[in-house]
Amino acid sequence: MFEDALDLAENKLLLLYIFYKIKLPISNIQITQIILENNFINYFTLQQYITELIASNLLKYTELKGKHRLHISKKGDNVLSLFKGRISESKILLIDNYLKSHIENIKKELTVSADYTIENNNNYLVNLTASENSFTLIDIKLSVASNKQAQKLCTKWRNKPSDLYAKIINLLIDD
């Protein structure tokens, strides 16, 4: 039982450490992906820990452009600074290495958005956005005739947002 309590504490501290290292509000999906890819905690236990950390005011939800994101609170920072030594060095090293190789993709997911919804008469409304910090660079809404077109637009936007943004700006600026 004592060992279970130590694992619980270490896993919650590990979650706080990840949020601390990322330094950006991230989605529940993103934290879940980080945890599951590294086989730290199973999905259901992870969701329970996140709920408990929010209830304890160690993590907070924010809403950015209609999407819920999680970030570490000041109280969470304080708790982590006091108890960081209880996280095993191997887990810290694993998370640090993971974040080094994946931080650009995490940031890209936070700054580039591509979604679509079905409108009346089988038309699809595609919404493509790109932002930097909290500033919106571009926000495009397009109506397309098929699900396939909507998916293709979203995929292209997610894969090459910088190239497409530059092309759109050049098209609009050039005489």
Side-chain angles (χ1 to χ4, degrees):
M1 175 137 162
F2 182 68
E3 204 171 290
D4 290 342
L6 287 177
D7 284 344
L8 171 94
E10 182 183 22
N11 287 334
K12 287 183 178 180
L13 287 167
L14 182 66
L15 283 169
L16 292 176
Y17 180 75
I18 293 168
F19 282 100
Y20 172 79
K21 289 296 282 188
I22 291 176
K23 294 180 178 36
L24 297 166
I26 62 171
S27 69
N28 189 307
I29 293 169
Q30 289 169 310
I31 190 66
T32 300
Q33 181 178 351
I34 293 167
I35 293 296
L36 295 180
E37 283 183 11
N38 289 287
N39 295 315
F40 287 130
I41 308 167
N42 74 52
Y43 175 82
F44 298 106
T45 304
L46 170 63
Q47 297 311 312
Q48 177 187 340
Y49 289 171
I50 289 172
T51 301
E52 291 170 3
L53 289 169
I54 292 167
S56 302
N57 293 318
L58 299 174
L59 289 180
K60 291 200 175 255
Y61 264 118
T62 56
E63 191 170 320
L64 298 172
K65 298 178 185 172
K67 296 182 180 184
H68 292 286
R69 303 280 188 228
L70 287 163
H71 65 94
I72 191 169
S73 67
K74 184 71 176 157
K75 185 179 176 184
D77 273 337
N78 292 338
V79 167
L80 181 62
S81 67
L82 290 172
F83 299 106
K84 181 182 171 197
R86 296 193 180 191
I87 306 170
S88 74
E89 287 295 321
S90 62
K91 287 183 180 179
I92 286 180
L93 186 62
L94 195 62
I95 286 300
D96 288 348
N97 289 335
Y98 179 89
L99 291 177
K100 277 181 193 172
S101 63
H102 290 85
I103 195 68
E104 289 307 314
N105 287 336
I106 292 168
K107 286 180 181 178
K108 184 177 167 184
E109 287 175 20
L110 293 172
T111 59
V112 174
S113 172
D115 297 309
Y116 65 92
T117 56
I118 189 166
E119 294 288 299
N120 52 358
N121 299 329
N122 291 331
N123 284 332
Y124 293 80
L125 183 64
V126 179
N127 187 23
L128 310 172
T129 61
S131 57
E132 194 168 284
N133 300 323
S134 61
F135 182 75
T136 300
L137 298 171
I138 191 167
D139 187 354
I140 300 173
K141 290 181 179 22
L142 301 164
S143 182
V144 295
S146 73
N147 184 308
K148 187 175 181 179
Q149 288 174 329
Q151 287 178 358
K152 189 172 183 179
L153 282 171
C154 290
T155 301
K156 275 189 162 185
W157 186 253
R158 284 186 200 110
N159 290 338
K160 296 184 179 182
S162 299
D163 295 345
L164 293 171
Y165 174 75
K167 286 178 183 178
I168 291 167
I169 293 299
N170 287 333
L171 280 171
L172 294 172
I173 292 175
D174 287 345
D175 290 331

